[in-house]
Amino acid sequence: MLAVGCVAAALLGIVGCTTVTSGTAGPDTKAAPAYRQSVSASVSASVATSSVRESQRQQSLTTKAVHSSCDSLATTSKEAIDKVNVFVGAFNAGRNTGPTEGPAVDALNNSASTVSNSFNDALSSQLKDAFNAYVDAAHDVANAIGTHAPTGEFNRRVDRLNKTKTAALKLCLASF
C-alpha cells in the first residue's frame, strides 16, 4: 500500500511539471539597462581588485628580493671583514700572514659571489649598482692580499670595500 502511495505521489509530481505556458519570450526592456550597469560595475570592480592584488604581489616579491640580497651582503661581508681583520692583525704583529691569506681571500671572493648571485630584476638599479660596487671592491681586496700589494694600496682597497659595503647597507635599510 505504501508503494502504491509513493508511485501515485511521483506521478502527480511529474504530471504537475509538464504544464506548458503559452506566450512569447522577450527581454524585460525596463530591467535590462539596470542589469547591464550592474554587470559593468561588477566587471570594473573585479578588474580594480585584480590590479590591486597584482600590485601587492609584485611589491611582496620585490620586498623578498631586497631582503634576501641585503641579508646576503650583511652576512657574508661580516665574515669576509672578520677574516681580513685576522690577516691585518697578523701583518701588523709582524707574524707570518700565509695562514691568514687564504681564508681572507676565500671569504672575500665567497662574499662577492654570494652577493652577485643574490640579486635579480626586482631590485632597483641603484641597489644593483651598490651591490656591484661592493662585489668589485671585495675582489680588489682579495687580489691585494693574494698579490701582496704594498700597504698603501691594500689600505686604499680596504677603505673602498668599507665605503661600498656601508653605502649598500644604507640603501638596504632605506628599502625596508
Side-chain angles (χ1 to χ4, degrees):
M1 191 62 132
L2 182 61
V4 173
C6 287
V7 170
L11 285 176
L12 282 176
I14 292 172
V15 171
C17 291
T18 58
T19 305
V20 176
T21 304
S22 61
T24 305
D28 184 349
T29 55
K30 290 180 183 174
Y35 174 75
R36 283 189 197 107
Q37 179 62 31
S38 172
V39 169
S40 178
S42 178
V43 168
S44 293
S46 178
V47 168
T49 300
S50 294
S51 178
V52 166
R53 284 188 184 143
E54 178 59 16
S55 192
Q56 289 170 336
R57 187 185 76 79
Q58 290 296 328
Q59 182 60 39
S60 175
L61 292 175
T62 299
T63 300
K64 286 179 185 175
V66 169
H67 278 271
S68 176
S69 296
C70 291
D71 287 348
S72 293
L73 173 65
T75 303
T76 63
S77 67
K78 181 192 178 322
E79 178 184 339
I81 298 299
D82 288 347
K83 299 288 185 184
V84 170
N85 287 338
V86 171
F87 165 78
V88 169
F91 180 84
N92 289 341
R95 294 191 314 264
N96 177 11
T97 60
T100 63
E101 291 173 14
V105 168
D106 290 346
L108 286 161
N109 287 328
N110 176 59
S111 179
S113 294
T114 301
V115 170
S116 179
N117 292 327
S118 74
F119 56 88
N120 59 42
D121 292 338
L123 300 180
S124 70
S125 60
Q126 187 179 20
L127 203 49
K128 287 180 191 176
D129 290 346
F131 286 155
N132 282 325
Y134 168 80
V135 167
D136 292 343
H139 284 306
D140 285 348
V141 173
N143 178 272
I145 293 170
T147 62
H148 301 115
T151 303
E153 178 62 18
F154 172 77
N155 287 336
R156 187 185 66 72
R157 292 182 189 192
V158 168
D159 286 344
R160 182 170 168 256
L161 175 68
N162 288 331
K163 286 177 183 171
T164 60
K165 177 188 71 135
T166 299
L169 289 174
K170 282 183 179 179
L171 286 173
C172 285
L173 291 173
S175 297
F176 296 148

